[in-house]
Amino acid sequence: MYSSPLLYHAESSFYSQRARLGFEEKRVPYRKKLVNIQLGEQLEPWFIRLNPHGEIPIVQHNKRLIIDSEAILNYLDQITPQAPSLTPDPSTDDGAKVKHFKSLLKSVEIECITFATMLHPEIETTKKKFFNPAQVRAKFDKPQKVMQNYAAKLPDLRGMYEGKIARTQALVNKILDLKYCMNCLQRCDEVLTEIEEELSKVKGQGSPEEGPWLCSENFTIADIYLATLLHRIAFLGLGQRFFTGGKRPNLEAYYERVQKRRSFHRACGYSGSLFWMWVYPNMVYRLKRSFPSIVGMGVVGLAIFAAFKYSDKLKMIKF
């Protein structure tokens, strides 16, 4: 008997949102394991042994380990051949469009845009910035020191940690370069301009559960990429810069429609909540480490009680 896939994820993680949306679209039952990226759980040795890149999401299923959100979405297609494919055959018209727009959306450096928005006051937003520049720098400085300590103590993982340190420093260098960050924003603008034009050709938009969507009647991987990108842009307070308030009416209507979709609500409905992004994961993480003998229902029960005190939406959360 095969077990359901286990998804290692974080509520706030952009790429975790892609993976969760894929699971919900394909209606594949799955289990979730929360990884606290705010406190650096993805850098701990147990996780580095799962994924040497120290990144989420990853999926474990039937003795297989699938790393990277795109690989996970492709895997979901493999295990559900009876359902409409998220990535249609590229030799078809719909498949060719999906391939083009997926590639286009992948060219947006959302990680750079996310941290640049927090770091540079020159990038105006409609929301209060979550961190000041000093806090953003500290967010990268502390994990690098942690990784250096692990590399020194664990020779078998040294190469993995050194690779992660190098990749992190490369990202920091990009984020600190305001000109580079502004170019990333410009590229996002160009991508959304092309998508706005494509959406203007889509006729007869149906209900949130019906087509047509960006590339076909079905909700494809291109829609997953676009929906999560718009969601992150809105979360950062960049909506007016890119697509709301009449800036790009077709994209604005698309996002409003996506938000009403059952799968999107289940996958991303809480990713904009500070409680579910930071308070809840930190609470669970600290409980596990403060009371190592409390496992399973003990930790979950305490977390549920605290969540109930802060949210009336608990009934939507699956454990």
Side-chain angles (χ1 to χ4, degrees):
M1 182 176 180
Y2 295 113
S3 62
S4 58
L6 174 62
L7 174 69
Y8 293 80
H9 78 116
E11 193 68 44
S12 62
S13 161
F14 176 77
Y15 296 101
S16 291
Q17 291 166 28
R18 282 184 179 177
R20 293 197 304 266
L21 187 50
F23 273 104
E24 297 296 343
E25 281 295 325
K26 300 291 280 189
R27 303 290 181 101
V28 174
Y30 67 109
R31 297 166 293 143
K32 293 185 285 188
K33 182 176 178 61
L34 196 63
V35 179
N36 193 317
I37 59 176
Q38 310 302 331
L39 297 181
E41 192 173 9
Q42 78 280 14
L43 303 178
E44 294 179 3
W46 72 268
F47 191 85
I48 292 295
R49 287 189 169 92
L50 285 177
N51 182 2
H53 289 177
E55 298 172 350
I56 52 174
I58 59 177
V59 163
Q60 281 184 317
H61 188 219
N62 296 337
K63 299 182 179 180
R64 293 188 60 179
L65 192 64
I66 302 95
I67 297 172
D68 178 77
S69 60
E70 185 172 344
I72 290 170
L73 295 175
N74 290 337
Y75 181 71
L76 290 174
D77 272 344
Q78 293 176 26
I79 63 175
T80 56
Q82 73 285 357
S85 176
L86 294 172
T87 307
D89 185 343
S91 66
T92 65
D93 290 343
D94 286 351
K97 286 178 66 176
V98 168
K99 181 179 179 180
H100 169 74
F101 283 104
K102 182 183 75 170
S103 177
L104 191 70
L105 287 157
K106 286 173 66 175
S107 72
V108 176
E109 296 187 52
I110 193 60
E111 193 170 23
C112 184
I113 290 173
T114 297
F115 288 108
T117 301
M118 300 175 184
L119 178 64
H120 297 291
E122 294 87 349
I123 301 175
E124 297 181 359
T125 70
T126 58
K127 290 186 177 181
K128 180 180 178 181
K129 295 182 184 291
F130 296 108
F131 304 104
N132 60 43
Q135 289 172 317
V136 174
R137 289 184 174 89
K139 184 176 177 64
F140 288 100
D141 290 342
K142 184 177 179 180
Q144 288 189 306
K145 292 177 182 178
V146 169
M147 288 188 286
Q148 289 168 355
N149 289 334
Y150 279 135
K153 295 177 181 178
L154 303 168
D156 60 318
L157 300 179
R158 181 174 298 132
M160 299 176 189
Y161 279 114
E162 289 175 347
K164 178 66 174 176
I165 291 169
R167 289 189 296 274
T168 301
Q169 188 57 53
L171 175 61
V172 171
N173 293 341
K174 290 180 179 180
I175 294 167
L176 293 176
D177 185 341
L178 178 60
K179 182 178 179 181
Y180 186 90
C181 294
M182 297 305 289
N183 287 338
C184 289
L185 291 168
Q186 177 60 34
R187 177 55 182 163
C188 185
D189 210 38
E190 294 167 354
V191 168
L192 294 181
T193 294
E194 182 174 340
I195 293 175
E196 172 72 8
E197 182 178 351
E198 182 64 26
L199 287 173
S200 70
K201 304 172 187 175
V202 177
K203 305 298 181 182
Q205 293 188 7
S207 74
E209 303 303 325
E210 299 173 347
W213 293 96
L214 176 58
C215 298
S216 74
E217 289 294 321
N218 295 320
F219 200 87
T220 69
I221 192 172
D223 293 292
I224 289 176
Y225 280 28
L226 177 56
T228 49
L229 174 62
L230 296 178
H231 196 52
R232 174 55 58 92
I233 287 172
F235 171 74
L236 292 172
L238 295 172
Q240 289 187 8
R241 181 187 186 115
F242 286 113
F243 69 93
T244 64
K247 180 75 179 278
R248 292 187 172 96
N250 294 303
L251 272 168
E252 186 171 13
Y254 176 95
Y255 183 54
E256 289 175 354
R257 188 168 161 233
V258 161
Q259 289 182 93
K260 298 174 183 176
R261 194 168 173 83
R262 173 189 176 276
S263 59
F264 186 86
H265 179 73
R266 292 173 65 88
C268 305
Y270 300 96
S271 58
S273 163
L274 295 181
F275 176 80
W276 294 112
M277 286 172 57
W278 285 308
V279 177
Y280 175 77
N282 289 352
M283 176 180 59
V284 173
Y285 182 84
R286 295 184 189 284
L287 278 171
K288 287 179 180 178
R289 279 147 184 77
S290 297
F291 305 99
S293 61
I294 300 178
V295 294
M297 290 305 297
V299 171
V300 173
L302 289 171
I304 288 176
F305 174 78
F308 181 77
K309 301 292 288 184
Y310 284 90
S311 174
D312 61 356
K313 298 179 180 179
L314 181 63
K315 60 185 179 181
M316 298 298 297
I317 302 300
K318 296 195 307 180
F319 293 94

